[in-house]
Amino acid sequence: MATLPFALLLALLALTLLGPASALARGGGGGGGGDRPEVRVGGSCGRGASSTLKLKARDGGIEAEFEVHSRARTLWRGAFVQERRTVWRGRARTAGASHSFSVERRLGDYPGPDQVFVRAIGPRGVTCQASATLPG
C-alpha cells in the first residue's frame, strides 16, 4: 500500500518535468485583455535552433507571436494553425545579430479557449514548432 502514494508522486513529478514549458501572466495594462492571461510557450526545434510562441488577448482578438533563433540569413517556411484551420502561411528570413526572425499575426478570438499551433521548416529540414492554448 505504501508504494501507491510513492508511484503517484513519481508520476506527477514526471509530468511536471516532461510537460511543455509555459508561463501565464495576467493581462492588464490598457491592452483591453482584462484579466485574460497571456501565454508563453517554449517550442521544440532541432539542430541548435530555438523557438517561442506568445499568445495575448487584446482588443477583441489574439496577438500571436512566433520567434525562431537559428543561423544567420536562413530562409524558413511557416504556418499558424488556429482551431485546426490554417490562418497564415508564409516565409521569413533570419537576420541581424540575434540570427532570429519573428512573425506576428492577429487572430480571431473565439468563445472559450483558443488553441494555436505554429510550425516553421528551415534549411535542411530543421523544424521548429510550438502549441499553446489561451484560456477562454
Side-chain angles (χ1 to χ4, degrees):
M1 282 299 221
T3 60
L4 183 60
F6 179 72
L8 183 59
L9 179 64
L10 189 61
L12 288 173
L13 180 63
L15 284 173
T16 302
L17 294 175
L18 298 176
S22 66
L24 292 176
R26 283 281 163 213
D35 275 345
R36 197 147 177 218
E38 175 181 300
V39 179
R40 296 175 192 218
V41 178
S44 63
C45 294
R47 298 187 193 151
S50 64
S51 65
T52 58
L53 172 62
K54 181 173 83 170
L55 303 176
K56 183 176 185 178
R58 176 165 281 173
D59 299 329
I62 298 173
E63 291 180 357
E65 179 182 4
F66 184 62
E67 187 172 353
V68 173
H69 294 270
S70 179
R71 296 182 180 158
R73 307 276 313 151
T74 56
L75 184 64
W76 291 71
R77 295 176 293 123
F80 276 79
V81 177
Q82 182 183 19
E83 301 298 331
R84 298 182 305 205
R85 292 184 183 170
T86 302
V87 294
W88 178 82
R89 192 174 292 192
R91 297 175 189 256
R93 183 177 300 275
T94 58
S98 66
H99 306 296
S100 67
F101 70 85
S102 177
V103 178
E104 297 178 20
R105 290 291 169 247
R106 180 144 174 96
L107 308 175
D109 189 358
Y110 302 115
D114 291 286
Q115 185 176 29
V116 177
F117 173 77
V118 185
R119 175 180 284 166
I121 301 172
R124 297 188 186 113
V126 175
T127 302
C128 288
Q129 60 188 30
S131 179
T133 300
L134 186 65

